[in-house]
Amino acid sequence: MKKRLARLLGFLAGLAVILASTFMAAASYYWLGWPDWLRTGLALCAVPGLAALWFVPGTVRHWRRVAVIGAISLFLSAYSQKELYPQSFVPLHERIVDVKFDGDLAEIINFRDAVHQIDEPAQPRWTTRTFDLNELSGIQLIYQPFGNSAATVHVMMSFAFSNGDHLAVSFEARRTSWDTFDAVAGFFKHDQLYPVLGTERDLLWKRLARVPPNDLYFFDLEGTGEEGRAYLRHLLEFVASLHQTPQFYSTISESCFTTLLKLSPRLRETVPWYDLRRWVPGASVGLFQELGLIDSSVSEEELLERQKLRPDIRPPWEFEDANTWSSYLRSRVGRSDQAVLRLQTSAIGTSESFIGRP
C-alpha cells in the first residue's frame, strides 16, 4: 500500500513538474523586456531541461529535484510580481481614458470620437465629455462575433441618457499593431487591459467600416432603476483606477465580457466561477436570457436573428450628429416594423437584477 501511494505521489509530482515547466516555457516566450535569445531559449529548453533533471536516474537525482523545485518557485515568484512593459501603441490606443467625479457628474478625459473611413486607417479624435449619472435612461448589451466559435465574440455596453447621448464602453487588449494579434498571449501577462469610452459612431462604426463589416446585435437589458446608475458609477471608477494602476488583459479573468460581468456585484455572485458561460463571451446572450436580463420569450437563436443589425448601414458623417446616427442605427435592428416601434417608445433599458450595488 505504501509503495502504491509513493508511486502515485511520484506520478503527480512528475506531472506537476511537466505542467509547471510548460507554463514557464510559454510565460518566458511572452515576457516583454527580456532579450529575444533569453525568451526563446527558455521557451525551448524549459520543458526538456527540467524534465531531464527530474526524471533521469542518478545518485544525485534528489538534489536535482530540489533544484527543479527551486527554479520553478523562483520563476513563479518573479511572474507574480511582473509589471507591464512600456510599448508604442496604435493611434486608437495611444491615450488612456480617465474619469473625474463631481457628485453625480462624471467627466471623461480622453473620450474617443474617432473617424473611421471605410477600410482605411482611423483618424483618432480625443475630447472631454461630462455625463450626468442621474440622466441614465438605459443600457444595451452589444454583441459582435468575429469568428466561428463562442470564444471569438466581442461584447460591449452602451449607456443611454435622457438627452439622447450614448456612452459606448469596450474593454480590449491594448494593441501595438492591427496587423498581428496573438490570442495565446492573453494567458501569460503579455497585453494591457485597455478601456475604450467613446461615441457609438466611433466604437460601433469602427466595426461596420471594415470590408466586410462585422455583424452587430443589440439587446435591451430589462427594467430601469437606481442600480443602473450604481453599476455605471462602479464601472467608471474601475476605469479611473486603470488610469492610475494599469492591469494585464487576461483571456480568462480580464477580457471584454468577464470584466463587464465582474463589475456587477450581483451578477458576479449569481454566476458561479465554475459556470463556463462566465468565461465565454459568446455564451452571454443565452446566460442573460436564463437570468431574465434580456428577452427570454423566444429561443436564443430567434433572439439573435431578431436583434441583428441589418446590412448597408449609412456612415455617421451623413448625419447631423452622433445622437442622430445612434437613433438611425437602432432603426436598422431587426425587422423595420419592430425598429420603428422601438424608436417611438425609446425602449432601451437596464436591469435591477443585473446591476447590483458596488
Side-chain angles (χ1 to χ4, degrees), residues 5-25:
L5 181 59
R7 282 197 295 267
L8 177 60
L9 292 177
F11 171 79
L12 293 177
L15 179 62
V17 167
I18 294 298
L19 294 176
S21 59
T22 301
F23 179 85
M24 286 178 59

Side-chain angles (χ1 to χ4, degrees), residues 244-293:
Q244 299 298 323
T245 308
Q247 295 184 20
F248 286 102
Y249 174 95
S250 169
T251 303
I252 296 296
S253 61
E254 292 291 356
S255 62
C256 62
F257 179 52
T258 54
T259 300
L260 291 170
L261 184 147
K262 290 197 303 183
L263 289 172
S264 164
R266 188 173 299 179
L267 225 179
R268 183 180 63 236
E269 296 165 3
T270 301
V271 185
W273 66 268
Y274 53 81
D275 189 333
L276 293 179
R277 296 172 300 175
R278 182 187 181 105
W279 314 107
V280 182
S284 56
V285 174
L287 175 62
F288 279 27
Q289 280 188 298
E290 182 179 308
L291 297 174
L293 310 177

Side-chain angles (χ1 to χ4, degrees), residues 144-171:
Q144 176 222 325
F146 58 91
N148 298 319
S149 74
T152 53
V153 172
H154 185 61
V155 176
M156 298 172 281
M157 288 276 189
S158 182
F159 296 84
F161 294 82
S162 57
N163 63 357
D165 287 347
H166 287 82
L167 167 58
V169 178
S170 174
F171 288 96

